[in-house]
Amino acid sequence: GATSGFGLAMAHRFAKDKARLILTGRRAERLEALVRELGDAGASVLGLAFDMRDHAALSGAVADLPEAFQAIDVLVNNAGLALGLEGAPEADLSDWEAMIDTNVKGLVRLTRAVLPGMVERGRGHIVNIGSIAGSYAYPGGNVYGATKAFVEQFSRNLLCDLVRTPLRVTNIEPGLAETEFSVVRCKGDEAQARKIYEGAAFIHAEDIAEAVRWAIQQPAHININRIEIMPVGQAAGALAIHRKG
Ligand code: NDP
Ligand code: 8X3
């Protein structure tokens, strides 16, 4: 998910750190432009345009990696989205399915495709981009929050299964961050998306890139299990109580 937001900031950050990068996203033109830009600046970059919901395309992309890109040290499962803010009775079922297919099924398929190689090489770090929505409920969070709760528990359970290996797993859980996330959630309604950030402090994409960098650059004997990050001015609210009358 490198064509915008957190993923784009990570691509720039890790290119500067001289990492060899595999960048993905559906928007092929954006991806090509990014690969060209980073390549021209001296980075070693491979762009793979595919839809995370397309299992055959995803498996094919991993299976056909050029030799120089096969030994993946860090997988950042960042590609994801929220669609809609309606309550559960009104929400569009196809939106729910798109979130589950991307945030849950895409993430587990890519993880499963990359993990055996990491175990074989005895090195690797899975960094999942979860969300505070996985821990705290809010109106309209319904399935989006549930997908991120899945990511949180999947991250914990991965650690259990990998406890005898040197592999590491981290779940990064950001709060309100200004990226294309809200425009996507509001289905292209930029005015509605802008309102979400109006008057509020928010996380910048570069802040999350820095959190990921910090987690993966810890000494090899340290695993950062989870990082919850909110902007100043955001906090988990009270439980919902409806009172009659
Ligand atoms: P953006 O919309 O800016 O970026 C999302 C990225 O995911 C894009 O590169 C997009 O690429 C990619 N992506 C989405 N769906 C697919 C798909 N089906 N196949 C391939 N790539 C896909 O949002 P963010 O940077 O904010 O989001 C990144 C992650 O961070 C998401 O998992 C999101 O849930 C999470 N998050 C965001 C927060 C926020 O407030 N912004 C807070 C907490 C977590 P393309 O469209 O080209 O396919
Ligand atoms: C995005 C953060 O609070 O909009 O995952 O759900 S929030």
Side-chain angles (χ1 to χ4, degrees), residues 1-7 24-28 30 50-53 77-82 102-103 129-132 144 148 173-182 184 197:
T3 50
S4 64
F6 300 161
T24 72
R26 288 164 300 179
R27 288 170 289 181
R30 277 201 193 195
F50 63 89
D51 189 325
M52 287 287 287
R53 293 168 297 178
N77 279 316
N78 169 71
L81 79 172
T102 313
N103 303 358
I129 307 298
S131 168
I132 57 160
Y144 175 66
K148 295 301 186 177
E173 302 164 21
L176 186 69
E178 199 195 30
T179 61
E180 292 180 23
F181 176 84
S182 293
V184 172
Y197 303 106

Side-chain angles (χ1 to χ4, degrees), residues 4 16 30 61 107 147 166 182 186 204 240:
S4 64
K16 213 181 278 176
R30 277 201 193 195
L107 181 145
T147 66
S182 293
C186 301
H204 301 277

Side-chain angles (χ1 to χ4, degrees), residues 20-22 46 48 60-74 113-121 123:
R20 185 174 300 170
L21 299 169
I22 303 170
L46 174 69
L48 295 174
V62 177
D64 296 340
L65 284 172
E67 207 182 326
F69 290 89
Q70 281 172 8
I72 296 171
D73 290 324
V74 180
V114 169
L115 257 185
M118 288 182 167
V119 173
E120 206 178 294
R121 290 185 295 278
R123 56 185 281 148

Side-chain angles (χ1 to χ4, degrees), residues 109-242:
R109 285 168 175 163
L110 189 51
T111 304
R112 183 64 184 78
V114 169
L115 257 185
M118 288 182 167
V119 173
E120 206 178 294
R121 290 185 295 278
R123 56 185 281 148
H125 197 148
I126 308 278
V127 180
N128 291 327
I129 307 298
S131 168
I132 57 160
S135 302
Y136 309 110
Y138 60 83
N142 43 67
V143 166
Y144 175 66
T147 66
K148 295 301 186 177
F150 177 96
V151 172
E152 193 176 325
Q153 193 64 7
F154 183 56
S155 304
R156 289 198 188 102
N157 283 341
L158 274 176
L159 270 176
C160 290
D161 289 355
L162 297 170
V163 77
R164 286 187 181 78
T165 77
L167 270 59
R168 305 193 284 185
V169 182
T170 301
N171 193 37
I172 309 274
E173 302 164 21
L176 186 69
E178 199 195 30
T179 61
E180 292 180 23
F181 176 84
S182 293
V183 177
V184 172
R185 187 170 215 173
C186 301
K187 301 180 181 172
D189 185 338
E190 299 208 357
Q192 192 191 354
R194 259 197 310 277
K195 279 210 180 85
I196 293 175
Y197 303 106
E198 223 165 63
F202 43 78
I203 299 167
H204 301 277
E206 293 71 23
D207 302 325
I208 300 305
E210 171 56 19
V212 174
R213 184 210 60 76
W214 180 79
I216 63 180
Q217 289 186 356
Q218 288 303 299
H221 66 288
I222 296 293
N223 190 86
I224 304 299
N225 295 1
R226 44 189 296 273
I227 305 179
E228 181 182 295
I229 309 175
M230 291 189 198
V232 169
Q234 185 176 35
L239 292 173
I241 301 172
H242 175 66

